[in-house]
Amino acid sequence: MEYIKLNDGIEIPAIGFGTFLIPPDGSTYRAVREALEVGYRHIDTATVYENEEEVGRAVRDSGIPREEIFITSKLWLSQFGDPQKGVERSLKKLNMDYIDLYLVHQPYFDVLNAWKGLEAAKKEGKIRSIGVSNMSPKIWNEFIPKIETFPSVNQIECNPFAQQKAVRMLMAADDVKVECWGPLGQGNKDLLTNETLRLIGERYGKNIGQVILRFETQEGMIVLPKSVHPERIKSNLEIFDFTLTEDEMNVIRALDTDKPSRNPDEPGRGEYLSKKFTIVE
Ligand code: NDP
């Protein structure tokens, strides 16, 4: 496992297991157990995924010491008015004393109040590191001058077809790590059958998913692939035993179409998301 040091000194595994859309019907428990079994030590969940409880149970039942596993969760939009209550809810659902990384899931409405709450929870030792998600350069540049504690990460959509070069340059300048959500293009068929990626993988005996995740980690990003299939959960982790050459990296860099599927700056995005995804208090 490779680790990355965040700007607050906290070390995070460069690959985490994503759990978006894995339902809390036993599937999350099974997938997280499987992931831990094959070697993942970083799990990405969120309040709004409604599966924190199963994540927590899988972690406990794995028998792996809590401090060896890095847990990320996120505060949902409807909780920005009382962020401390949101953190408490996650701690209770996960049944843990602390969370390693907690993110403001979406950058809308009273995001400053949300941030202040996370800063307070960090001071109280309930969270080790705090970060943001889905911040475009415009949103970032408005947010940063108003806050005290610098975010440790910005979790954004990123894959070889949508490489987010502008956000990444800004984060690098501000010493903030980028976490890729949708690192496999959320199952995008065109990406996962891309001939260029397949040919590169063939040289190393690696599949397309592995080439993509290796590319992203070699670019210095943290990746969070999700799968419910044991063979994919395993193969997505097997990316640290080969290194893409600079020529191969450039070939993959050239696949960028600079068109992420979501635009955080789109007017009404916060309203849309808060209607589409809700949580039961
Ligand atoms: P991913 O890019 O991880 O893609 C997941 C999809 O790819 C699933 O359909 C999965 O299918 C399929 N898949 C997984 N591995 C392979 C493989 N090796 N070959 C082919 N297909 C594969 O998308 P996610 O949206 O899940 O993003 C990853 C994580 O990022 C999330 O789970 C979540 O934790 C986080 N996230 C955060 C967001 C935010 O706003 N901060 C937004 C979205 C995600 P199957 O399960 O059937 O194998």
Side-chain angles (χ1 to χ4, degrees), residues 53-91:
E53 224 169 301
E54 289 197 20
V55 168
R57 195 152 50 80
V59 166
R60 273 189 307 287
D61 290 356
S62 73
I64 300 163
R66 167 68 184 91
E67 61 277 14
E68 289 179 22
I69 302 176
F70 193 98
I71 302 288
T72 300
S73 193
K74 317 184 188 90
L75 190 75
W76 189 238
L77 290 164
S78 57
Q79 303 176 300
F80 287 9
D82 193 350
Q84 297 261 50
K85 191 174 158 204
V87 172
E88 289 302 333
R89 183 188 192 273
S90 287
L91 286 167

Coordinates of all heavy atoms in Angstrom, one line a residue, residues 53-91:
E53 N -23.4 2.5 8.7 CA -23.6 1.5 9.7 C -22.9 0.2 9.3 O -22.2 -0.4 10.1 CB -25.1 1.3 9.9 CG -25.5 1.2 11.4 CD -27.0 1.2 11.6 OE1 -27.6 2.2 11.1 OE2 -27.5 0.3 12.1
E54 N -23.2 -0.2 8.0 CA -22.6 -1.4 7.5 C -21.1 -1.3 7.4 O -20.4 -2.3 7.6 CB -23.3 -1.9 6.2 CG -24.7 -2.3 6.4 CD -25.3 -3.1 5.3 OE1 -24.5 -3.7 4.5 OE2 -26.5 -3.3 5.3
V55 N -20.6 -0.1 7.0 CA -19.2 0.1 6.9 C -18.5 -0.1 8.3 O -17.6 -0.9 8.4 CB -18.9 1.5 6.4 CG1 -17.4 1.8 6.6 CG2 -19.3 1.7 4.9
G56 N -19.1 0.5 9.3 CA -18.6 0.4 10.6 C -18.6 -1.1 11.1 O -17.6 -1.5 11.7
R57 N -19.7 -1.8 10.8 CA -19.8 -3.2 11.3 C -18.7 -4.0 10.6 O -18.1 -4.9 11.2 CB -21.2 -3.7 11.0 CG -21.5 -5.0 11.8 CD -23.0 -5.1 12.0 NE -23.9 -4.8 10.9 CZ -24.1 -5.7 9.9 NH1 -23.6 -6.9 10.0 NH2 -24.9 -5.4 8.9
A58 N -18.5 -3.8 9.3 CA -17.6 -4.6 8.5 C -16.1 -4.3 9.0 O -15.3 -5.3 9.2 CB -17.6 -4.2 7.0
V59 N -15.9 -3.1 9.4 CA -14.5 -2.7 9.9 C -14.3 -3.5 11.2 O -13.3 -4.1 11.5 CB -14.4 -1.2 10.1 CG1 -13.2 -0.8 11.0 CG2 -14.3 -0.5 8.7
R60 N -15.3 -3.4 12.1 CA -15.2 -4.1 13.4 C -15.0 -5.6 13.3 O -14.1 -6.2 13.9 CB -16.4 -3.8 14.3 CG -16.3 -2.5 15.1 CD -17.4 -2.4 16.1 NE -18.7 -2.5 15.6 CZ -19.3 -1.6 14.8 NH1 -18.7 -0.5 14.5 NH2 -20.5 -1.8 14.3
D61 N -15.9 -6.2 12.4 CA -15.8 -7.6 12.3 C -14.6 -8.1 11.6 O -14.2 -9.3 11.6 CB -17.1 -8.1 11.5 CG -18.3 -8.0 12.3 OD1 -18.2 -7.6 13.5 OD2 -19.4 -8.3 11.8
S62 N -13.9 -7.2 10.9 CA -12.7 -7.6 10.1 C -11.6 -8.1 11.1 O -10.6 -8.8 10.7 CB -12.1 -6.5 9.3 OG -11.6 -5.5 10.1
G63 N -11.6 -7.5 12.3 CA -10.6 -7.8 13.3 C -9.3 -7.0 13.1 O -8.4 -7.1 13.9
I64 N -9.3 -6.2 12.1 CA -8.1 -5.3 11.8 C -8.2 -4.1 12.8 O -9.3 -3.6 13.0 CB -8.1 -4.8 10.4 CG1 -8.1 -6.0 9.4 CG2 -7.0 -3.9 10.1 CD1 -8.5 -5.7 8.0
P65 N -7.1 -3.8 13.5 CA -7.2 -2.7 14.4 C -7.7 -1.4 13.8 O -7.3 -1.1 12.6 CB -5.7 -2.5 14.9 CG -5.1 -3.8 14.6 CD -5.8 -4.4 13.4
R66 N -8.6 -0.7 14.5 CA -9.2 0.5 13.9 C -8.2 1.5 13.4 O -8.4 2.1 12.3 CB -10.1 1.1 15.0 CG -10.6 2.6 14.8 CD -11.6 2.6 13.6 NE -12.0 4.0 13.3 CZ -11.3 4.7 12.4 NH1 -10.4 4.2 11.7 NH2 -11.7 6.0 12.2
E67 N -7.1 1.6 14.1 CA -6.1 2.6 13.7 C -5.4 2.3 12.4 O -4.7 3.1 11.8 CB -5.1 2.9 14.8 CG -4.3 1.8 15.3 CD -5.0 0.9 16.3 OE1 -6.2 1.0 16.5 OE2 -4.2 0.1 16.9
E68 N -5.5 1.0 11.9 CA -4.9 0.6 10.6 C -5.8 0.9 9.4 O -5.5 0.7 8.3 CB -4.6 -0.9 10.7 CG -3.4 -1.1 11.6 CD -3.0 -2.6 11.7 OE1 -3.4 -3.4 10.7 OE2 -2.4 -3.0 12.7
I69 N -7.1 1.4 9.7 CA -8.0 1.6 8.7 C -8.4 3.1 8.6 O -8.7 3.7 9.7 CB -9.3 0.7 8.8 CG1 -8.9 -0.8 8.9 CG2 -10.3 1.0 7.7 CD1 -10.0 -1.7 9.2
F70 N -8.4 3.6 7.4 CA -8.6 5.1 7.2 C -10.1 5.2 6.8 O -10.5 4.7 5.7 CB -7.7 5.6 6.2 CG -7.6 7.1 6.1 CD1 -6.6 7.8 6.8 CD2 -8.6 7.8 5.4 CE1 -6.6 9.2 6.7 CE2 -8.6 9.2 5.4 CZ -7.6 9.9 6.0
I71 N -10.9 5.9 7.6 CA -12.3 6.1 7.3 C -12.6 7.5 6.9 O -12.3 8.4 7.6 CB -13.2 5.7 8.5 CG1 -12.9 4.2 8.9 CG2 -14.7 5.9 8.2 CD1 -13.4 3.2 8.0
T72 N -13.3 7.7 5.7 CA -13.8 9.0 5.3 C -15.3 9.0 5.3 O -15.9 8.0 4.8 CB -13.3 9.3 3.9 OG1 -11.9 9.3 3.9 CG2 -13.8 10.7 3.4
S73 N -15.9 10.0 5.8 CA -17.3 10.2 5.6 C -17.6 11.7 5.3 O -16.6 12.5 5.2 CB -18.1 9.7 6.8 OG -19.5 9.7 6.4
K74 N -18.8 12.0 5.0 CA -19.1 13.4 4.5 C -20.4 13.9 5.1 O -21.4 13.1 5.3 CB -19.2 13.3 3.0 CG -18.1 12.5 2.3 CD -18.2 12.5 0.8 CE -17.2 11.5 0.2 NZ -17.8 10.2 0.0
L75 N -20.4 15.2 5.2 CA -21.6 15.9 5.7 C -22.5 16.3 4.6 O -22.1 16.9 3.6 CB -21.1 17.2 6.4 CG -22.1 18.0 7.2 CD1 -22.4 17.3 8.6 CD2 -21.6 19.4 7.5
W76 N -23.8 16.0 4.7 CA -24.7 16.3 3.6 C -25.3 17.7 3.7 O -25.3 18.3 4.7 CB -25.8 15.2 3.5 CG -26.6 15.4 2.2 CD1 -28.0 15.6 2.1 CD2 -26.1 15.4 0.9 NE1 -28.3 15.8 0.8 CE2 -27.2 15.7 0.0 CE3 -24.8 15.3 0.3 CZ2 -27.1 15.8 -1.4 CZ3 -24.7 15.4 -1.1 CH2 -25.8 15.6 -1.9
L77 N -25.8 18.2 2.6 CA -26.3 19.6 2.5 C -27.3 20.0 3.5 O -27.2 21.0 4.1 CB -26.9 19.8 1.1 CG -26.0 19.8 -0.1 CD1 -26.7 19.6 -1.4 CD2 -25.2 21.1 -0.1
S78 N -28.2 19.0 3.8 CA -29.3 19.3 4.8 C -28.7 19.4 6.2 O -29.5 19.8 7.1 CB -30.3 18.2 4.7 OG -29.8 17.0 4.9
Q79 N -27.4 19.1 6.4 CA -26.9 19.2 7.8 C -26.0 20.4 8.0 O -25.4 20.5 9.1 CB -26.0 17.9 8.0 CG -26.8 16.6 7.8 CD -25.8 15.4 7.9 OE1 -24.9 15.2 7.1 NE2 -26.1 14.5 8.8
F80 N -25.9 21.3 7.0 CA -25.0 22.4 7.1 C -25.3 23.4 8.2 O -24.5 24.1 8.7 CB -24.8 23.1 5.8 CG -24.0 22.4 4.7 CD1 -23.6 21.0 4.9 CD2 -23.7 23.0 3.5 CE1 -22.9 20.4 4.0 CE2 -22.9 22.3 2.6 CZ -22.5 21.0 2.8
G81 N -26.6 23.4 8.6 CA -27.1 24.3 9.7 C -26.6 23.8 11.0 O -26.4 24.6 11.9
D82 N -26.4 22.5 11.2 CA -25.9 22.0 12.5 C -24.9 20.9 12.2 O -25.1 19.7 12.4 CB -27.1 21.4 13.3 CG -26.7 21.1 14.7 OD1 -25.5 21.2 15.0 OD2 -27.6 20.8 15.5
P83 N -23.7 21.3 11.7 CA -22.7 20.3 11.3 C -22.2 19.4 12.4 O -21.9 18.2 12.2 CB -21.5 21.2 10.8 CG -21.8 22.6 11.3 CD -23.2 22.7 11.5
Q84 N -22.2 19.9 13.7 CA -21.7 19.1 14.8 C -22.6 17.9 15.0 O -22.2 16.8 15.3 CB -21.7 19.9 16.1 CG -20.7 21.1 16.0 CD -19.4 20.7 16.7 OE1 -18.8 19.7 16.4 NE2 -18.9 21.5 17.6
K85 N -23.9 18.2 14.8 CA -24.9 17.1 14.9 C -24.7 16.1 13.8 O -24.8 14.9 14.0 CB -26.3 17.7 14.8 CG -27.4 16.7 15.1 CD -28.8 17.5 15.2 CE -29.9 16.5 15.0 NZ -31.1 17.1 14.4
G86 N -24.3 16.6 12.6 CA -24.0 15.7 11.5 C -22.8 14.7 11.8 O -22.9 13.5 11.5
V87 N -21.8 15.3 12.4 CA -20.6 14.5 12.7 C -21.0 13.5 13.8 O -20.6 12.3 13.6 CB -19.5 15.4 13.3 CG1 -18.3 14.6 13.8 CG2 -19.0 16.4 12.2
E88 N -21.8 13.9 14.7 CA -22.2 12.9 15.8 C -23.0 11.8 15.2 O -22.9 10.6 15.6 CB -23.1 13.6 16.8 CG -22.4 14.6 17.8 CD -21.2 13.9 18.5 OE1 -21.3 12.7 18.8 OE2 -20.3 14.6 18.9
R89 N -23.9 12.1 14.2 CA -24.7 11.1 13.5 C -23.8 10.1 12.8 O -24.0 8.9 13.0 CB -25.6 11.8 12.5 CG -26.6 10.8 11.8 CD -27.2 11.6 10.6 NE -28.4 10.9 10.1 CZ -28.3 10.0 9.1 NH1 -27.1 9.7 8.6 NH2 -29.4 9.5 8.6
S90 N -22.8 10.6 12.1 CA -21.8 9.6 11.5 C -21.1 8.8 12.5 O -20.9 7.6 12.3 CB -20.8 10.4 10.6 OG -21.4 10.9 9.5
L91 N -20.6 9.4 13.6 CA -19.9 8.6 14.6 C -20.8 7.5 15.2 O -20.3 6.4 15.4 CB -19.4 9.6 15.7 CG -18.2 10.5 15.4 CD1 -18.1 11.5 16.5 CD2 -16.9 9.7 15.3

